[in-house]
């Protein structure tokens, strides 16, 4: 991991999201909030804040709509707050049903929400909570909303996109040291307290995110989505799926860790972190700019990795 991080350049100023509907999970603060703000400044018509705490979601909504640039350039913007608890499959299914019933299109699904703990905990749905929140519920939500993205028309500027927020931390997964042996259920293995590692579980979840994105892209390939000039063709049924690491960003992402882990993590952020604005631009780039070239890929420092 290099000490310095390359700058994430601003989104092209001609980018225009008029008419687009976008979902951002984990949007009350940090990267989710910043990405929502940037989408609105790019004239997104509707941004749906998918949040666990609806009160905080409403506070974020008011701040977004009060932003001076949004007030000046996107006067008809709509920001909608919907409840989503990724620790509960029932909540995920209710959320997806609500979206499918209320909206005729979905242009971007930005799966930003995630957690990092250093203790074993079981979710409401009975799975180890990091695996549930960071992987399983995001995977379920992407599949439940995939048909809505598929029926959203593609034009010459954009293909409907699902962007998972991953992490370079996936390189520190546990499989090299503790390989999985043949067994009936991989999930059952990760649901066992004896299989839990406080240092490796977060990287494990992000590794499986990358694997899920690759597997979904292989099963849902893009068909001739680019013209000979490299422009996006018009049509339907096309959905880009990718996975982006925003890098080390100056957020409160490690606040749930114990003090002996927070100290080195916060020192790392202090020395080399990107601003939250740059981190937000990395998410927007993955969801909006890189397009079909990134299908199934991992994106880091705005570069597509294979």
């Amino acid at each position: 991991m290099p000490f310095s991080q390359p700058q994430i350049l601003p989104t092209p100023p001609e980018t225009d999201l008029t008419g687009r509907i976008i979902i951002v999970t984990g949007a009350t603060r940090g990267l989710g909030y910043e990405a929502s703000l940037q989408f609105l400044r790019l004239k997104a018509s509707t941004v749906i804040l998918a949040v666990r705490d609806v009160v905080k979601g409403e506070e974020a909504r008011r701040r977004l709509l009060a932003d001076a640039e949004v007030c000046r350039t996107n006067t008809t913007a709509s920001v909608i707050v919907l409840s989503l608890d990724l620790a509960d499959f029932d909540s995920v299914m209710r959320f997806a049903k609500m979206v499918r019933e209320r909206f005729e299109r979905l242009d971007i699904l930005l799966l930003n929400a995630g957690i990092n703990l250093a203790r074993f905990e079981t979710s409401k749905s009975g799975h180890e909570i990091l695996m549930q929140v960071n992987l399983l519920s995001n995977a379920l939500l992407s599949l439940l909303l995939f048909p809505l993205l598929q029926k959203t028309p593609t034009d010459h500027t954009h293909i409907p996109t699902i962007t998972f927020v991953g992490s370079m931390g996936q390189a520190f997964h546990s499989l090299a040291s503790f390989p999985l042996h043949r067994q009936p259920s991989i999930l059952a293995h990760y649901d066992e307290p004896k299989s839990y590692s406080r240092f490796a579980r977060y990287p494990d979840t992000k590794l499986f995110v990358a694997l899920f994105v690759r597997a979904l892209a292989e099963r849902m390939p893009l068909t001739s989505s680019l013209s000979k000039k490299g422009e996006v063709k018009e049509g339907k049924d096309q959905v880009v799926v990718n996975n982006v690491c925003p890098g080390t960003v100056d957020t409160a992402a490690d606040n749930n860790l114990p003090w002996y882990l927070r100290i080195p993590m916060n020192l790392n952020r202090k020395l080399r972190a990107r601003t939250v604005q740059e981190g937000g631009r990395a998410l927007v780039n993955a969801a909006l700019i890189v397009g079909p070239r990134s299908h199934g890929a991992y994106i880091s420092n705005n570069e597509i990795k294979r």
Side-chain angles (χ1 to χ4, degrees), residues 163-167 170 206 209-210 213 241-245 297-299:
T163 293
F164 287 75
V165 176
S167 172
Q170 66 187 13
K206 294 303 183 179
V209 164
V213 167
V241 184
N242 60 32
N243 169 34
V244 60
C245 173
Y298 170 69
I299 304 165

Side-chain angles (χ1 to χ4, degrees), residues 45 54 73 120 138 141 145 155 161 184 200-201 230 250 263 271 294:
S45 294
V54 173
T73 63
F120 184 89
N138 282 317
L141 184 57
L145 293 180
D155 61 26
T161 299
R201 182 50 54 93
D250 186 16
I263 290 175
L271 293 174
S294 69

Side-chain angles (χ1 to χ4, degrees), residues 3 9 15 26 78 104 174 207 220-221 229 232 263 268 289 295 306:
F3 182 79
L9 298 176
T15 306
S78 174
E104 294 295 321
S174 67
L207 173 66
M220 302 299 294
K229 295 181 179 180
V232 177
I263 290 175
N268 178 50
I289 304 300
H295 192 50
R306 295 291 179 183

Side-chain angles (χ1 to χ4, degrees), residues 267-282:
L267 179 60
N268 178 50
R269 292 184 190 279
K270 186 72 173 178
L271 293 174
R272 59 189 298 273
R274 287 181 171 131
T275 65
V276 71
Q277 291 77 20
E278 277 192 275
R281 291 201 294 266

